[in-house]
Amino acid sequence: MKILITGGLGFIGSHTAVELQKEGFDVVIIDDLSNSSEKVLEGITAITGKKPIFEKMDLRDKKSVEDFFGKHNDITGVIHFAASKAVGESVENPLLYYENNISALVYLLQQLQKKEKAQFIFSSSCTVYGQAEKMPITEDAPVQQAMSPYGNTKQIGEEIISDVAKVSGINAILLRYFNPVGAHESVEIGELPLGVPQNLIPFITQTAIGLREQLSVFGDDYPTPDGTAIRDYIHVVDLAKAHVTALKRLIDSKNTDKVEVFNLGTGKGNSVLEVVKAFEKVSGKPLNYKIVGRREGDITEAYADTTKANDVLGWKAELTLEDALASAWKWEQKIRS
Ligand code: UD1
């Protein structure tokens, strides 16, 4: 069966392409290369021995999307990763985010709703919960007013999909990721942030390799045991496997609602300082860091209640934070060598 992965050369998309191929699916990738590289195709191929079909395409071009589905009219399964994801940039340039993340989604769904039956997996984020009142966060926790246009595109995206699923043959699963980190154990693929990384783990590995002088730890006055903020860091390979499980659930019509929502995390929260300590342990290197003020818009803590993903989806994170940090470090060393 042929599956379309949009944004399939990106961080989570490329790891998902590998897991899908391993399960025998034929993978077609669309990517505009705005935040990725065609070299990632070689990485995927090196791992699986099979080169995915690749089309460079900007999903904001409605005609291209139409032509694509005309050409590949046997595709009914789509995993939609293609989106912009920098919170700060979205505040500076909201229309870029609404166009990239919303228009593209609409054009894809327009093609899929022509089909009798289609399966759609959407990359959502735990950002939809804002600062949830209760930890761990269940899927029933209220969606809160988004704090950025980026966050808003994830909420609006979920709503658009739900509205369209009601009146079409589309069945969808919305996957709300916590903090995806790590790299494939082969280090053929991993995270490739453009410019200065905004996220914690790539900033740590770039500091350790000497590309950045020092990690700024944003705030040590949070109401947490060590004062630094807590997140649920999930290994990207575990996350990728969850997409395959979700897709199979839709293909086998095992879903109980036209649109289902699952949190994807480990269920365990770690503070920034715990991550730093764990990194020092797995790399054997002390990390140069300094406590600075809080980053605007950051929440105190977020970690997933994984009961629904475990029991209903039948998926569980298997790799640890240490596994993720070790692979991220191995990857950083490889790409700088
Ligand atoms: C961030 C986004 C979130 C998005 C997610 C996707 C913000 C405010 N949030 O989540 O909307 O869905 O990325 O990738 O940008 N930290 C440091 N020093 C650093 C970098 C991070 O101390 O140099 C801390 C942060 O304050 C936070 C934790 O590390 O407590 C994780 O940060 P990050 O990796 O950026 O993820 P989120 O902020 O959770």
Side-chain angles (χ1 to χ4, degrees):
M1 194 174 176
K2 220 199 250 179
I3 304 298
L4 169 61
I5 308 185
T6 72
L9 297 185
F11 176 41
I12 310 171
S14 57
H15 288 82
T16 302
V18 165
E19 297 306 322
L20 274 177
Q21 286 190 327
K22 275 194 189 164
E23 293 292 313
F25 290 97
D26 283 335
V27 170
V28 183
I29 289 174
I30 289 180
D31 202 296
D32 69 354
L33 302 178
S34 63
N35 192 16
S36 59
S37 146
E38 219 171 321
K39 279 201 180 143
V40 176
L41 265 184
E42 291 163 26
I44 297 169
T45 313
I47 298 169
T48 63
K50 201 173 167 208
K51 193 172 183 178
I53 297 171
F54 169 60
E55 293 209 20
K56 180 175 184 290
M57 189 196 296
D58 186 336
L59 290 167
R60 292 172 299 181
D61 180 354
K62 186 173 169 167
K63 179 77 173 47
S64 298
V65 179
E66 217 177 309
D67 290 349
F68 175 87
F69 278 93
K71 196 162 102 189
H72 298 277
N73 62 8
D74 51 340
I75 291 183
T76 60
V78 176
I79 306 185
H80 181 45
F81 293 104
S84 301
K85 60 162 189 156
V87 175
E89 185 188 44
S90 80
V91 176
E92 302 286 318
N93 194 351
L95 288 178
L96 176 72
Y97 276 66
Y98 289 113
E99 194 181 27
N100 272 350
N101 298 6
I102 304 296
S103 301
L105 172 66
V106 170
Y107 300 154
L108 274 173
L109 293 173
Q110 279 171 340
Q111 297 310 313
L112 284 183
Q113 77 165 354
K114 292 180 188 165
K115 298 178 186 290
E116 212 170 290
K117 205 167 174 237
Q119 303 82 33
F120 196 78
I121 309 288
F122 182 61
S123 290
S124 191
S125 166
C126 69
T127 196
V128 302
Y129 300 118
Q131 177 58 72
E133 262 177 41
K134 276 188 252 149
M135 291 298 134
I137 304 174
T138 64
E139 288 81 355
D140 300 331
V143 168
Q144 296 201 48
Q145 170 91 50
M147 290 196 295
S148 69
Y150 159 75
N152 208 19
T153 64
K154 292 297 171 191
Q155 296 191 6
I156 297 169
E158 288 195 355
E159 288 173 2
I160 292 173
I161 294 162
S162 303
D163 288 342
V164 178
K166 272 183 213 148
V167 295
S168 69
I170 298 172
N171 283 267
I173 293 184
L174 315 175
L175 297 176
R176 293 178 177 161
Y177 314 149
F178 282 67
N179 290 56
V181 295
H184 194 269
E185 59 169 5
S186 66
V187 288
E188 293 289 349
I189 53 173
E191 195 168 2
L192 287 167
L194 268 187
V196 181
Q198 306 297 308
N199 295 117
L200 180 62
I201 309 306
F203 206 104
I204 287 179
T205 55
Q206 288 196 7
T207 305
I209 205 102
L211 222 60
R212 313 276 156 214
E213 207 184 310
Q214 189 172 53
L215 168 76
S216 296
V217 173
F218 297 138
D220 70 346
D221 57 351
Y222 284 102
T224 62
D226 67 19
T228 63
I230 291 175
R231 298 289 185 273
D232 183 337
Y233 296 93
I234 164 128
H235 199 299
V236 65
V237 172
D238 275 331
L239 193 67
K241 288 179 178 166
H243 291 75
V244 181
T245 309
L247 182 72
K248 283 184 175 168
R249 180 174 170 83
L250 294 182
I251 292 170
D252 298 340
S253 304
K254 292 209 173 112
N255 50 313
T256 51
D257 284 308
K258 290 220 74 181
V259 179
E260 295 180 320
V261 182
F262 295 102
N263 284 342
L264 296 182
T266 65
K268 190 172 180 294
N270 284 106
S271 73
V272 177
L273 285 181
E274 282 172 349
V275 174
V276 169
K277 294 280 164 295
F279 178 79
E280 288 179 330
K281 195 170 145 223
V282 301
S283 67
K285 278 173 85 92
L287 191 79
N288 184 21
Y289 73 89
K290 183 175 84 179
I291 310 281
V292 301
R294 293 183 181 192
R295 178 170 71 180
E296 204 190 318
D298 271 357
I299 55 170
T300 302
E301 60 176 348
Y303 53 96
D305 185 317
T306 60
T307 311
K308 191 177 173 200
N310 298 165
D311 296 352
V312 181
L313 186 60
W315 165 90
K316 200 173 188 315
E318 280 163 358
L319 299 164
T320 63
L321 175 65
E322 285 73 19
D323 294 329
L325 292 171
S327 62
W329 178 228
K330 215 168 125 192
W331 168 249
E332 186 73 60
Q333 290 170 288
K334 183 197 161 179
I335 57 176
R336 307 298 163 196
S337 66

